[in-house]
Amino acid sequence: MMAGAGEDVRVLFGAAVRAALDAWPALQIAVENGFGGVHSQEKAEWLGGAVEDYFIANADLELEEVEGFLGELMTNEFDTVVEDGSLPQVSQQLQTMFHHFQKGDGAALQEMTAQINQKKCKVTATPLKTAEKTDVAEDDVDSVEEMEVKEVTATNDGATTDVVCPQPQPSDPDPQTIKEEDIVEDGWTIVRRKK
């Protein structure tokens, strides 16, 4: 392989790695929601170069090593533990790309990059409002506290869909089970076992 051809394949490998990471929903969510702080986008761009360099420096990586490396980067840089099952898939994809790079197969790298870009999902997080009752004190027992829940939706065409997940509604305690002598001065309620 000539030096110029090797550099071209390296550029194609880098582009393929970045495409795979850009299409990874876990990373998209982390960047979109600023899990990596104010520089989340810069960290995501750096991640592509770091993964590329990792493969170049370690020619005979096992799938578990790639998974561990990606998982560690997501945890350290984005405070995100990836538990959606995508880590092994992305790791396998990156490893396949690296094998094409090692063989000097630029056409296969270009094809993989094109397929990834074609299938790329746009992931969005939609805030949902729910109400939660809190027992703060006797006089404002009925106060309602707003909670924000993030709903994540992925679509292939870039459009977003809103799916509403039912939130469990807290039930009010049975008024007959709480007696006045069970409510102490500071607003706490004594819970007794039924006989």
Side-chain angles (χ1 to χ4, degrees), residues 54-55 61-70 91 94-95:
Y54 180 69
F55 274 100
L61 290 169
E62 296 292 323
L63 184 62
E64 294 81 23
E65 294 173 304
V66 178
E67 286 179 39
F69 180 71
L70 284 177
S91 299
L94 292 170
Q95 203 167 31

Side-chain angles (χ1 to χ4, degrees), residues 30 35-37 40 43 46-47 68-82:
F35 294 169
S40 290
K43 286 182 179 182
W46 166 83
L47 187 69
F69 180 71
L70 284 177
E72 188 176 318
L73 286 174
M74 289 296 289
T75 300
N76 292 342
E77 300 300 326
F78 295 98
D79 291 329
T80 302
V81 176
V82 181

Side-chain angles (χ1 to χ4, degrees), residues 32 124-128 148-153 160-163:
E32 181 181 306
T124 59
T126 308
L128 300 175
E148 191 169 299
V149 178
K150 292 283 186 185
E151 170 90 17
V152 177
T153 308
T160 60
T161 57
D162 291 328
V163 180

